[in-house]
Amino acid sequence: MTTPAAPTMTAVGEAARCATQNDLGRAPTSDLSDVPVVAIFGADRPTAIERNDVIFPGPDAGDADRCRHALPDPDAVSCDQPAPWAGRSWENLVNAAGAERIRRVEARTDEGEPTPGAYSASRSVAYVEVTMVVGDPMNLYSFIQTAFAQCAHGDFQMVEGIPVVVGSTPMAGVGDVPLVAFVTRDRVAWVTLGGRRWSAAERDHALTTIARHLA
């Protein structure tokens, strides 16, 4: 009589902690002092914060087998994705970009009821700021410039002495809205100015505010 073989057990490795995401609160009074979002709106303090978080490399970020990610070829990105078109989750992007942190804020104002035929009377801002490690080893600077030029159909300009790529992106119910990337020696950032159409003065104020923050 053959004795049945004892069941075997396969050890399951602990999931790699490649990134850490911290929610910083969504109350209108949340501290946004490290980003220029409040100043972007001018006198209209944002009344709703829909995202307010920061992502850091996790304890296992240095594990090349489990956490190493790279940015794609910027000339071959899929523009059907949201900016920055890297094809990575935010948790993977922080390592693929060689970033010290990724800061994200989405906020909007409440400027009353929309006028007839208008989608919104309020303005919204989606702001992302990436702090790079010294030397930009993953070439994020170049990736952002190329991807925004291709997918946001952006033009290269200067704002307050900082290189920017001024483009646009479609937003449901609104149409094309400004999408602008900023690149400096140690940080890159991009902003989407959504909701009701921003006036030229409001847009210029927003871009100048961000550029001065990053300078």
Side-chain angles (χ1 to χ4, degrees):
M1 180 175 179
T2 303
T3 302
T8 59
M9 297 181 65
T10 302
V12 177
E14 182 181 349
R17 296 170 296 171
C18 298
T20 300
Q21 180 179 356
N22 296 335
D23 192 322
L24 302 179
R26 302 185 187 185
T29 55
S30 296
D31 183 9
L32 300 176
S33 59
D34 65 328
V35 289
V37 170
V38 173
I40 287 173
F41 286 112
D44 299 316
R45 167 87 192 189
T47 55
I49 298 175
E50 295 163 353
R51 185 190 302 276
N52 180 26
D53 64 11
V54 60
I55 303 169
F56 298 100
D60 299 323
D63 187 328
D65 293 329
R66 298 189 294 171
C67 296
R68 179 65 56 84
H69 298 277
L71 294 171
D73 180 346
D75 292 314
V77 295
S78 171
C79 294
D80 294 332
Q81 309 168 62
W85 308 282
R88 308 286 186 271
S89 68
W90 289 101
E91 290 75 14
N92 289 338
L93 181 62
V94 72
N95 294 317
E100 291 184 354
R101 75 168 196 165
I102 297 177
R103 184 74 169 90
R104 302 186 296 172
V105 177
E106 295 178 13
R108 60 179 171 81
T109 62
D110 182 1
E111 300 178 23
E113 295 297 322
T115 57
Y119 176 74
S120 174
S122 301
R123 291 181 291 159
S124 66
V125 163
Y127 180 78
V128 178
E129 182 178 308
V130 183
T131 303
M132 298 181 289
V133 298
V134 176
D136 186 20
M138 306 303 283
N139 294 316
L140 178 64
Y141 186 112
S142 175
F143 175 85
I144 290 296
Q145 285 195 317
T146 302
F148 271 75
Q150 292 184 173
C151 294
H153 309 291
D155 295 323
F156 292 90
Q157 301 179 24
M158 298 290 287
V159 175
E160 296 288 311
I162 290 180
V164 301
V165 187
V166 179
S168 63
T169 188
M171 179 173 285
V174 179
D176 287 345
V177 299
L179 174 59
V180 183
F182 301 74
V183 290
T184 72
R185 180 179 56 83
D186 57 356
R187 287 182 288 180
V188 301
W190 56 93
V191 66
T192 306
L193 304 177
R196 71 157 171 79
R197 186 170 298 278
W198 292 54
S199 69
E202 289 171 338
R203 192 203 71 150
D204 291 347
H205 169 78
L207 301 191
T208 299
T209 297
I210 297 170
R212 289 175 177 172
H213 164 76
L214 295 171

